[in-house]
Amino acid sequence: MRQSNFLQHKQTIRMSMSLILIIGFFLPWFTMDPNFSMFATSKAGFSGMSLVMGINFAVQMINAFGTAYNFPASANVIYLGYLLLLIPLLGVIAIILSGLRHKWGYRLHLIQYAFALFVFIAIIIVTNINAEMRELVGNVTNTGFGFYLCLIVSLAGIVYSIYEWRKGKR
């Protein structure tokens, strides 16, 4: 019985989705609203990489806010932002292992998709539940192309993996 064309190229599809996630990590996730002219550059964009690079600068400010509001551990929590680097690192490793036809390639693709989906859903939940974050994202910044690209591709990667798993069980 001949497999569907969709499943014949499963390794290429997984590698392409991981590559798109890596590229999306470096595209702007958040952009400054052009109508908000408080900052010198109103066209600034913040990618996943620039968010990770800004952690060292933000720790002092968050530590001051945390001390003022009686939450001294807040500066330590922001170091969890370095976990964002797992999105491109897992993708590169998964692409290499898939190219070498190693059995862990598939698992690392799935871990990358699941981790990226978790990160983007967590960002959506935090920005919609917390009023200050909702105002910041709604009035000062807008979500950018890279954010939606990574969200859609990680969701598509999970759905494709489930589809592939279900077809393989038959």
Side-chain angles (χ1 to χ4, degrees):
M1 184 172 177
R2 186 171 182 249
Q3 283 185 335
S4 68
N5 195 21
F6 200 52
L7 285 177
Q8 285 180 336
H9 305 289
K10 56 187 175 186
Q11 181 178 356
T12 306
I13 292 171
R14 285 194 305 259
M15 290 172 75
S16 299
M17 284 194 277
S18 287
L19 182 63
I20 292 171
L21 276 175
I22 293 169
I23 292 169
F25 182 77
F26 295 100
L27 292 176
W29 287 4
F30 301 102
T31 56
M32 296 301 290
D33 189 5
N35 297 327
F36 191 75
S37 59
M38 179 181 219
F39 297 106
T41 59
S42 61
K43 293 185 179 183
F46 304 102
S47 66
M49 189 63 183
S50 63
L51 291 176
V52 170
M53 299 302 284
I55 288 175
N56 288 331
F57 301 112
V59 167
Q60 294 172 352
M61 180 180 69
I62 290 175
N63 193 20
F65 281 129
T67 305
Y69 289 106
N70 219 5
F71 188 64
S74 61
N76 295 333
V77 172
I78 197 165
Y79 286 118
L80 290 175
Y82 283 117
L83 290 176
L84 288 176
L85 288 173
L86 285 177
I87 295 172
L89 290 177
L90 284 172
V92 168
I93 295 169
I95 289 171
I96 291 171
L97 289 179
S98 287
L100 296 173
R101 306 225 186 262
H102 193 276
K103 63 182 179 181
W104 270 92
Y106 169 76
R107 292 180 184 135
L108 281 178
H109 285 295
L110 190 58
I111 291 169
Q112 181 198 22
Y113 305 147
F115 179 73
L117 187 63
F118 171 76
V119 165
F120 292 111
I121 288 177
I123 289 172
I124 290 170
I125 289 172
V126 166
T127 57
N128 286 321
I129 290 178
N130 191 340
E132 290 85 16
M133 287 296 293
R134 184 173 52 241
E135 185 174 331
L136 175 69
V137 172
N139 295 333
V140 179
T141 63
N142 297 322
T143 49
F145 177 72
F147 182 85
Y148 291 115
L149 179 70
C150 288
L151 176 67
I152 290 169
V153 169
S154 61
L155 183 61
I158 295 290
V159 169
Y160 180 72
S161 297
I162 292 171
Y163 173 76
E164 180 184 326
W165 177 71
R166 296 281 308 250
K167 282 291 193 182
K169 284 186 78 172
R170 292 183 184 174

